[in-house]
Every structure is written in structure tokens, then in C-alpha cells.
Amino acid sequence: MDEVIVSRAIVERFAQKFAQSMDLDVAIVGGGPSGLVAAYYLAKAGSRVAIFERKLSIGGGMWGGGMLFNEIVIQEEAKRILDEFGISTKKFQDEYYTADSVETASTLCSFACRAGVKVFNGISVEDLMVREGVVIGLVINWTAVEMASLHVDPLVVRAKFVVDATGHPAEVVQVLQRKNPVKIKTPSGSFLGERSLWAEAAELSTVENTGEIFPGLYIAGMAVNATMGGYRMGPIFGGMLLSGEKVAKQIQDRF
Ligand code: 48F
């Protein structure tokens, strides 16, 4: 066993994967439920897709269910998506189903990878490339660099479309507005921020408002409600899955 071969294999394989992902059809920021579902459907339809995820683990806010009780709840309308992934669900009462959050997170991740999505974990998106009023790519750096506040310049990835699936902070939308004097497609033209918890309203608006918020930039999942001034919903996940599915369809229609 030659340790240098082991090291070289890792570096060369990663470099190849990374270089091939520098010019994408779709760059998804955040590997939570909405980002994973969107990535899976887009890759399945033939797009070149990568997910950039700050943490080591993919799955976002799914792992801990509600308050670390690792079960999630899905409403009737979204159950068909978990069925498509072969994730087991149990009826709790009419219209309410539960799923094991570990099975859900790991299976969504596995399906996305096997559909061809390249997942880059431990990488944070810190900025965007914007040209003539269109988002054309991401500015990325290692999360470890970000955490250590090291003064290290980033690298870039070009993409025909970017999806902000960063959840509650809607980081991509926020950085777009912080660094550029632009209006986004909200009633005020600016980022509106998330409101307190109201599951029913939140679940509907997260799906309804999923879409292109600025040329080249789409929002999905909880980032939608954060951007549009919608409510939070707590550990009910149907809206996240439906939003991921919707954004994938919207982007596919652009190709
Ligand atoms: O938060 P998250 O799971 O987003 P989501 O798909 O789902 C929300 C639910 O988990 C839950 C909820 C509804 O039931 O309210 O919160 O909308 O996943 C977002 C992922 O994005 C990553 C973050 O680490 C998380 O895994 N992320 C956030 N900012 C960045 C990022 C960034 N700047 N660069 C890379 N990844």
C-alpha cells in the first residue's frame, strides 16, 4: 500500500470532478430538502447540476426532525414525492404522514448523487457573479477558510441558472442585494425577511412564490419565505419537496 498513491488518487479525482463543475447548467446553493429535490429532478432530465453545501453533511434541517425528535411530517400532497424516492412514510391521521428524517435525508442525497448531481460539501458560497443585470455564477470558498477568517481569495463557478436553497438565511439573495444596487421581484423590490411560525400559510406560500427572483437567480424552499416576507413552518416538509420539484420544472422549461 502506497500512501502517496492514495493521496494522489484523491487529489486527481477531486480536481477532475471540480474542474468539470466550473461551467454548469444549474448551480444549487444548499443541500437541504428543497435543493436536493431540485437537483435530482434537473439531473434526471439531463442538466449538469452541482450542489454547493457549507456543511460536511448534506440534508440541511432534516436530520433533527422537530426539536431533535428525528421524524418529519409531510402532508398528503407531497407524499407522492417521497414515494417516488422509495422513502417509507406512515399515515398518522388523515392528511398527515411521518417519515424517518435520517432515511429521508440520506435517500434524497443518494438519489441526487446517482442521478449525476455533483455534491461539493464543505464549500460556502460567499458572493455571486453578476453581469448586465443577470446572475451568471457563484463565488465560492472552503467553509474552513470562512470559519478561520483567513484572507484567501475565492474561486468561481459559472452557471446558466443559480438556485438559492440556503433555507432561513436566503444567503444568496441577501448577498446579491448587499453588493449590488438591484431590485428583486418582491413587492418592495427588496429582501423582506421571514415572519413568525404559521405552518399552513407558510407551506402554501413557499410553493406559490418559488421562482426566479432576479434574472438568473431562482429561490426554493425556506429561502422563498425568507425573501418574500412569508411565515416559517417548523418541521413539516411537504412544501420544501414541492418547492424543489417546482423550481426544477421552471428551470427545465428554460432549456
Ligand atoms: O435549511 P435547509 O434544510 O433548507 P430548505 O431546503 O429546508 C428548510 C427546512 O430544513 C426547515 C424548514 C421547513 O421544514 O423550515 O428549516 O429550505 O438547508 C439549507 C442548506 O444550505 C446551506 C446550509 O448549510 C444548509 O445545509 N447553506 C446556507 N448558506 C450557504 C449554504 C452558503 N452560503 N453556501 C453553501 N451552503
Side-chain angles (χ1 to χ4, degrees), residues 4-15:
V4 171
I5 296 177
V6 173
S7 300
R8 189 180 292 134
I10 289 171
V11 171
E12 285 184 16
R13 286 286 191 263
F14 181 80

Side-chain angles (χ1 to χ4, degrees), residues 18-223:
F18 196 36
Q20 280 168 358
S21 300
M22 282 182 173
D23 213 339
L24 295 162
D25 291 326
V26 190
I28 297 182
V29 189
S34 63
L36 284 170
V37 168
Y40 167 74
Y41 285 123
L42 283 160
K44 204 173 139 207
S47 292
R48 287 172 303 120
V49 187
I51 292 178
F52 297 88
E53 166 55 52
R54 169 175 286 136
K55 293 183 186 156
L56 274 179
S57 64
I58 305 301
M62 269 184 295
W63 298 104
M67 218 178 112
L68 285 181
F69 298 149
N70 65 0
E71 289 280 323
I72 59 172
V73 173
I74 312 103
Q75 57 274 57
E76 185 88 50
E77 308 89 273
K79 182 182 170 296
R80 63 175 174 79
I81 298 182
L82 291 190
D83 291 345
E84 193 178 331
F85 286 85
I87 296 167
S88 0
T89 51
K90 281 193 203 141
K91 188 169 179 173
F92 186 71
Q93 62 176 67
D94 280 354
E95 296 184 19
Y96 295 81
Y97 292 82
T98 59
D100 181 285
S101 68
V102 175
E103 182 187 347
T104 309
S106 56
T107 307
L108 292 182
C109 182
S110 161
F111 269 67
C113 292
R114 288 172 185 202
V117 176
K118 297 290 177 278
V119 177
F120 295 97
N121 54 347
I123 291 184
S124 292
V125 172
E126 57 172 59
D127 200 351
L128 292 167
M129 289 199 289
V130 184
R131 295 286 181 287
E132 292 163 12
V134 182
V135 169
I136 60 157
L138 303 177
V139 177
I140 59 174
N141 214 327
W142 298 115
T143 302
V145 165
E146 178 187 75
M147 288 171 79
S149 302
L150 299 177
H151 186 171
V152 178
D153 270 323
L155 294 176
V156 300
V157 167
R158 190 163 47 214
K160 294 190 180 89
F161 299 103
V162 168
V163 180
D164 183 341
T166 62
H168 295 265
E171 287 196 23
V172 182
V173 177
Q174 294 232 61
V175 78
L176 170 73
Q177 284 229 294
R178 194 167 63 246
K179 294 205 160 190
N180 303 278
V182 296
K183 287 196 171 191
I184 57 172
K185 292 177 200 152
T186 62
S188 69
S190 300
F191 182 80
L192 294 173
E194 171 188 308
R195 299 173 71 180
S196 292
L197 197 148
W198 180 5
E200 190 167 350
E203 284 288 290
L204 291 174
S205 64
T206 199
V207 182
E208 192 180 308
N209 293 324
T210 294
E212 195 178 33
I213 191 76
F214 185 79
L217 176 61
Y218 283 77
I219 46 175
M222 194 56 216

